[in-house]
Amino acid sequence: MLPFRPHCGITKSEQWVFDQLAEAPSLDNYVILHSLGLARHKRKSYAECDFVIIGPLGVYCLEVKGGHVSRQDGVWTIGWPGRSYTSMEGPFKQAQSARGALLQEARIRLGKDLIKRVPFGWGVMFPDVQFVERDPEWDQECIFDESNKELPISTYLKRLAEYTLAHESSRGRTYQTPLSRREIDTITNSFRADFDLVPGITSLIRESHSEMLSLSEEQYSSLETILHSGNPRVICEGTAGTGKTVLAAEAARRLAQDGMRVLFLCFNRNLAWQLKHQDFAKYKSITLHTIWGLLYQLVSKNYPDQIQGEGSFNKVLEMAEEAAIDSIETGELIPYDVLIIDEAQDVLAPEVMNALDWFLNEGISSGRWVMFLDTAIQASVYNKLEGRIHSHLSTKAMNLKLSINMRNPVTIAKEAAMITGTPPPKCRRQFIAPVDYRTIHGMKTVSKISTSLITQLISEGANPNDIVLLSFRSPEEAFFKNGYASIGKKVHVLDGKQDRINRDAIPAASIPAFKGLESEIIIVGDLPEGEMTEWQLANLYVALTRARTAVYVICSQGYVNRRIDLLEG
């Protein structure tokens, strides 16, 4: 039954017919359309067929007329007293004309070859009266009345089909029945196909841009607390999308405007580039570094012979505090008035804090600092958060909590929470943009699926720079490693030097390299097979929550099945 329940306001007679058709076990191979509109009718601007039966024996239009039925001087009166209507056409001509309009529509949609194999018939049902009148306008085989109600409704449909085939045969037209399941589905889809119309990507981006970019009341309150001189040390905690980086950057700007020397640290090189060249470009009193870049620069400058490349993290950590002390003694390091750390959960290790203690006037214990962090699932990406350090710092600071997701559409935020088993956040952005899963069948189809998706997005008006490709693998092994020359697009792997991005290139990165950043459209690929580890779930959470407008996930059917299992329970 399409739809699976009737619309409101139908008559009791039509409801009875609907129920009989829906419950008839012998009609399992049939599709029954209820209330099918016919826009191209020869005599009417719009007509409607009560039921269209599509099955092995053909296609049949049924008109249902409830209540009393009479004809006087050529005028039909149909319905219960007080609720009847009159018609010059009558139910039989109405059914015949509906059948004609349906047949004409089928020729347009299906083509002549299929139509030649399919019988189209019509019938009229009077479930409330016995209709025994004879007239050249109709044959009794086309009629269902009250006397037939004791029989299965399929008996009437079989009788109607036999009559239609015999009538057509007498006119020299024969048909190949029964129709196949594929033919039945083809006919059904031509008249009432399923569809799910979603807003185009440019519409979603416009909606994203049109939403207020101002801070929420929660963020304003937090900013006031951070800037107040009575709160020299603040820990601000929030999950992805709650605006931690926005607040960190705004606090740095305002403190710099007050004449303070600000050291701003973050973990991600790509985020550091963006802040340095966009947010802080005109603020000379703000010094910005990645935490590892700062420590490497410090140690390599003081002990150039002992550091062999930026990958020597353990050696850098061991020598960082000693190098900081040496720089203080030589006057090369002048402590800052304020220290601001974004994504602090990625750097809360004792060696880091001991070194940074020398970069701040009065040190970590008594100086002025603000740390923004997420102690939930994002902390698992780098596993640098040590609980005892976090607890110790919390006792010395004002602790704030951000609870409203400002970045993600509500559907994306809830999807990320559901998949990773985290509590769903409160979302400011309520427009609907579900995560779109594109299924691959083996690794050979990944390039084809991603190429098709990128082509679709760009054809819909998306700017290539607004699409970011994220992978669980390194860029050298990622799904985007071979580029998209076939559609004239280059891939630009983000490496902390975003100034070289061509306007027509598509940015790409490993998921950890894009942590702390965001984009209008995110495409995620190279998902691990099987059950995900905590680290993998953390990365998936990060990837999904980078999107301001839309997320597409290229994955196997196995992943989709596991997601469905989560949804079901």
Side-chain angles (χ1 to χ4, degrees):
M1 303 299 294
L2 296 175
F4 68 92
R5 61 170 175 263
H7 59 76
C8 298
I10 66 170
T11 66
K12 290 183 179 179
S13 303
E14 199 171 332
Q15 178 70 63
W16 182 87
V17 173
F18 186 99
D19 292 341
Q20 295 301 307
L21 291 169
E23 296 170 6
S26 57
L27 299 183
D28 287 347
N29 292 327
Y30 286 70
V31 177
I32 299 171
L33 313 182
H34 176 235
S35 188
L36 180 67
L38 301 169
R40 284 184 277 265
H41 195 281
K42 287 185 177 180
R43 299 190 307 277
K44 303 175 182 178
S45 60
Y46 184 83
E48 184 179 62
C49 188
D50 292 334
F51 293 94
V52 177
I53 313 297
I54 306 172
L57 298 179
V59 179
Y60 299 90
C61 299
L62 301 183
E63 287 296 320
V64 178
K65 302 302 177 185
H68 299 177
V69 180
S70 66
R71 184 179 67 180
Q72 188 171 2
D73 298 327
V75 178
W76 289 81
T77 301
I78 299 172
W80 301 99
R83 290 178 292 161
S84 62
Y85 69 95
T86 59
S87 168
M88 296 293 291
E89 183 180 48
F92 296 102
K93 287 184 178 178
Q94 184 179 353
Q96 291 173 39
S97 65
R99 179 258 185 194
L102 190 68
L103 180 56
Q104 180 61 28
E105 193 71 30
R107 288 195 180 104
I108 295 172
R109 300 187 182 203
L110 298 172
K112 293 182 179 180
D113 290 341
L114 178 56
I115 295 305
K116 287 180 180 179
R117 302 199 303 271
V118 182
F120 278 70
W122 60 271
V124 180
M125 304 183 72
F126 302 105
D128 301 316
V129 299
Q130 289 193 22
F131 194 92
V132 295
E133 304 300 318
R134 304 282 177 174
D135 194 282
E137 189 177 327
W138 62 82
D139 289 314
Q140 288 300 121
E141 286 84 357
C142 298
I143 297 171
F144 177 99
D145 66 9
E146 187 183 29
S147 64
N148 302 127
K149 292 175 76 171
E150 294 182 0
L151 299 173
I153 199 167
S154 57
T155 302
Y156 165 65
L157 296 179
K158 184 178 180 181
R159 169 162 52 92
L160 179 62
E162 290 173 349
Y163 164 78
T164 300
L165 291 170
H167 180 71
E168 292 290 286
S169 178
S170 68
R171 304 176 69 180
R173 290 192 287 264
T174 57
Y175 300 94
Q176 299 175 8
T177 57
L179 302 181
S180 69
R181 180 75 249 180
R182 176 177 292 182
E183 290 172 324
I184 292 171
D185 290 342
T186 299
I187 296 167
T188 300
N189 289 332
S190 73
F191 293 126
R192 189 168 281 175
D194 291 338
F195 61 84
D196 183 9
L197 302 180
V198 300
I201 195 65
T202 51
S203 296
L204 290 176
I205 291 175
R206 279 196 300 271
E207 188 169 359
S208 173
H209 288 172
S210 68
E211 290 183 340
M212 293 179 62
L213 297 178
S214 60
L215 300 179
S216 67
E217 289 185 13
E218 180 182 66
Q219 288 176 315
Y220 268 122
S221 176
S222 298
L223 183 60
E224 289 179 355
T225 301
I226 291 167
L227 297 175
H228 196 284
S229 59
N231 301 311
R233 291 167 294 282
V234 178
I235 289 179
C236 188
E237 184 174 349
T239 56
T242 51
K244 298 184 296 296
T245 301
V246 171
L247 280 182
E250 184 62 23
R253 282 190 291 263
R254 297 200 185 193
L255 290 169
Q257 288 169 357
D258 289 341
M260 298 185 184
R261 294 177 63 246
V262 179
L263 175 61
F264 190 107
L265 300 178
C266 61
F267 187 85
N268 191 304
R269 286 192 300 174
N270 293 305
L271 174 60
W273 184 95
Q274 178 177 300
L275 290 170
K276 184 176 182 178
H277 290 84
Q278 296 177 12
D279 296 68
F280 300 154
K282 62 180 182 179
Y283 294 92
K284 294 183 178 179
S285 58
I286 299 177
T287 300
L288 184 143
H289 280 284
T290 63
I291 183 65
W292 298 117
L294 174 70
L295 298 182
Y296 175 81
Q297 183 183 85
L298 175 71
V299 174
S300 61
K301 188 172 184 178
N302 284 274
Y303 314 112
D305 298 332
Q306 299 190 41
I307 303 299
Q308 305 296 323
E310 290 189 45
S312 308
F313 289 137
N314 291 333
K315 191 70 173 177
V316 168
L317 285 177
E318 290 175 10
M319 305 180 69
E321 184 178 10
E322 184 179 350
I325 295 171
D326 288 348
S327 295
I328 287 285
E329 291 176 348
T330 61
E332 293 184 10
L333 173 58
I334 301 174
Y336 291 85
D337 301 316
V338 184
L339 170 65
I340 297 178
I341 305 179
D342 189 32
E343 301 289 346
Q345 75 276 356
D346 298 330
V347 298
L348 284 187
E351 298 89 348
V352 175
M353 291 297 108
N354 289 338
L356 292 182
D357 190 57
W358 297 94
F359 280 80
L360 185 62
N361 279 328
E362 301 184 57
I364 296 293
S365 296
S366 304
R368 185 165 190 177
W369 50 260
V370 189
M371 296 186 190
F372 296 84
L373 71 161
D374 180 1
T375 58
I377 191 168
Q378 286 195 92
S380 299
V381 174
Y382 291 108
N383 290 315
K384 296 295 184 182
L385 174 63
E386 293 203 16
R388 60 191 180 90
I389 296 179
H390 177 236
S391 298
H392 173 71
L393 293 175
S394 296
T395 62
K396 297 180 174 294
M398 169 71 73
N399 289 269
L400 303 177
K401 197 87 170 180
L402 297 174
S403 61
I404 301 174
N405 184 310
M406 305 289 288
R407 177 196 300 147
N408 307 130
V410 60
T411 42
I412 293 175
K414 288 185 176 179
E415 180 84 1
M418 184 271 292
I419 288 174
T420 56
T422 55
K426 299 176 184 177
C427 292
R428 185 182 189 181
R429 311 183 64 196
Q430 292 298 309
F431 79 88
I432 306 302
V435 175
D436 188 335
Y437 291 91
R438 302 295 173 98
T439 307
I440 59 173
H441 302 283
M443 295 307 297
K444 292 183 179 180
T445 63
V446 174
S447 178
K448 181 179 179 180
I449 294 294
S450 61
T451 301
S452 174
L453 175 56
I454 292 168
T455 302
Q456 172 195 329
L457 292 171
I458 293 175
S459 69
E460 290 179 0
N463 187 317
N465 287 174
D466 283 337
I467 304 169
V468 173
L469 311 176
L470 296 181
S471 172
F472 275 80
R473 300 174 182 171
S474 65
E476 296 77 18
E477 301 176 330
F479 69 95
F480 50 74
K481 65 181 179 181
N482 294 323
Y484 297 95
S486 62
I487 57 174
K489 302 299 174 188
K490 292 184 178 181
V491 171
H492 182 100
V493 176
L494 301 177
D495 57 1
K497 301 175 183 178
Q498 291 175 286
D499 53 321
R500 296 201 302 266
I501 294 183
N502 185 289
R503 287 179 56 190
D504 210 34
I506 302 169
S510 67
I511 294 171
F514 203 69
K515 193 168 177 287
L517 293 167
E518 60 185 40
S519 181
E520 295 295 342
I521 304 165
I522 297 295
I523 299 177
V524 188
D526 298 323
L527 275 67
E529 293 295 328
E531 294 295 327
M532 290 192 184
T533 64
E534 182 182 2
W535 181 84
Q536 290 167 340
L537 283 173
N539 276 273
L540 181 58
Y541 176 86
V542 167
L544 297 179
T545 55
R546 298 308 95 195
R548 292 192 296 263
T549 300
V551 175
Y552 299 86
V553 178
I554 299 173
C555 60
S556 66
Q557 185 60 46
Y559 175 82
V560 174
N561 292 339
R562 288 191 293 276
R563 175 185 175 273
I564 292 172
D565 290 341
L566 285 174
L567 285 172
E568 293 180 347

